[in-house]
Amino acid sequence: ARPAKTADSAGTVIVISDNERAAHLFQRYLDDYRVLVAADEREVQQLASTEPVHAAIFVARSQQEAGDRLVKGVAGLADVPLFCCSLAGGETAGDELGVASYLVKPVLRERFLAALDRVGPHVRDLLVIDDEPEVIRLLTRMIKGEARRYRVHSAYDGEEAWQFLQTSRPDVVIMDLMMPRLNGYQLLERMRADPTLRDIPVIVITAKGLDGEVISASLAGVTRGKGLSIGELMRYLRAGLEALQLPHSAPAQPAAPSG
């Protein structure tokens, strides 16, 4: 079992998953709870025997498995509220977009920072664009945790980013593709058509692959035809955890828009 890095006073949540990326995802998004990770029911029972557990999240490979687990339950957690969800997705290279890197959510810190390093040592000013404040908060925290001093600007859709680019020229743009008003594809087209912006390196971090496959999540009992985004899934989980009135530490606030 892998321990969490959260406050001792926070409510304890066990994430049941043998997927390392999923484990990191939940620990990052639910950082105001004490999140423990168990790969299987044996590890669950070990953790539950040593300390109180307030809630559990079972991460399935499909909606069917999530639904089955919701009925079956988890050994050792008979009296603990159980959330069941599924994560699914794939990754496709973004060469045809002409971007520096193409990453699919959920992205690990190491992969994101490696993509940033590949842009070059000159990078200081960054523009992060995503319509989900949770994503901007996570990326900003990853960036500011580095020894190199970066200046991070944020925008919550393509139109806001375009207005920022009219007066500023960041060293790199980090963007989602699926956004309201002006999406990432349209913003890239505008940048490529502008001689002053076309050479700015772009890192795409998105929940949609170029082949059209949606990287989606579902929460058993709360879903829809096309699935939930990662941000929506985490909001549902957080609402459920807060309904249990678990103790938790104060979460960091999303970065305010700048520029």
Side-chain angles (χ1 to χ4, degrees):
R2 298 177 289 278
K5 299 179 180 179
T6 50
D8 292 338
S9 60
T12 299
V13 179
I14 290 183
V15 174
I16 308 163
S17 174
D18 59 1
N19 184 318
E20 194 74 25
R21 293 181 68 193
H24 283 290
L25 175 72
F26 284 94
Q27 287 181 329
R28 293 204 312 268
Y29 271 89
L30 302 177
D31 58 356
D32 48 334
Y33 293 94
R34 184 164 184 263
V35 179
L36 307 178
V37 179
D40 52 35
E41 289 186 280
R42 180 183 59 81
E43 290 191 3
V44 168
Q45 293 178 38
Q46 290 177 347
L47 290 172
S49 67
T50 59
E51 57 185 292
V53 177
H54 301 98
I57 300 170
F58 182 87
V59 184
R61 292 181 175 83
S62 66
Q63 293 185 40
Q64 180 64 48
E65 184 186 6
D68 292 344
R69 178 59 64 170
L70 195 60
V71 174
K72 179 181 177 182
V74 176
L77 299 178
D79 298 323
V80 174
L82 174 65
F83 299 87
C84 293
C85 61
S86 64
L87 297 176
E91 185 169 354
T92 308
D95 292 342
E96 65 186 76
L97 282 180
V99 297
S101 293
Y102 189 99
L103 305 175
V104 176
K105 300 174 185 176
V107 61
L108 296 181
R109 179 176 184 273
E110 293 76 13
R111 297 188 65 193
F112 171 59
L113 295 179
L116 200 56
D117 285 341
R118 286 195 295 272
V119 175
H122 67 284
V123 174
R124 288 294 180 272
D125 280 289
L126 302 91
L127 173 61
V128 181
I129 315 162
D130 200 295
D131 61 327
E132 294 186 5
E134 299 97 328
V135 174
I136 289 185
R137 176 172 65 89
L138 288 171
L139 294 178
T140 299
R141 187 165 57 190
M142 290 181 190
I143 294 166
K144 292 191 173 180
E146 286 295 280
R148 191 190 305 183
R149 293 188 176 182
Y150 293 107
R151 289 182 292 271
V152 182
H153 309 275
S154 57
Y156 293 92
D157 59 49
E159 189 61 47
E160 183 180 350
W162 179 247
Q163 294 303 318
F164 176 86
L165 291 170
Q166 300 311 292
T167 57
S168 302
R169 192 183 190 282
D171 297 317
V172 64
V173 171
I174 302 161
M175 70 163 70
D176 188 13
L177 290 179
M178 310 310 293
M179 297 182 291
R181 296 209 293 172
L182 187 72
N183 64 41
Y185 298 103
Q186 294 167 326
L187 179 58
L188 279 170
E189 287 181 4
R190 288 191 184 184
M191 290 178 64
R192 298 301 179 246
D194 188 325
T196 66
L197 301 175
R198 64 171 56 135
D199 294 329
I200 298 178
V202 174
I203 297 175
V204 167
I205 300 180
T206 186
K208 187 177 180 67
L210 291 180
D211 56 1
E213 181 181 7
V214 176
I215 311 306
S216 64
S218 294
L219 178 62
V222 184
T223 188
R224 61 188 181 200
K226 68 176 183 179
L228 307 173
S229 73
I230 294 297
E232 288 171 328
L233 169 67
M234 293 302 167
R235 284 194 289 274
Y236 280 123
L237 288 173
R238 184 174 295 282
L241 292 172
E242 289 177 353
L244 297 173
Q245 297 184 333
L246 305 185
H248 61 86
S249 56
Q253 295 299 314
S258 61

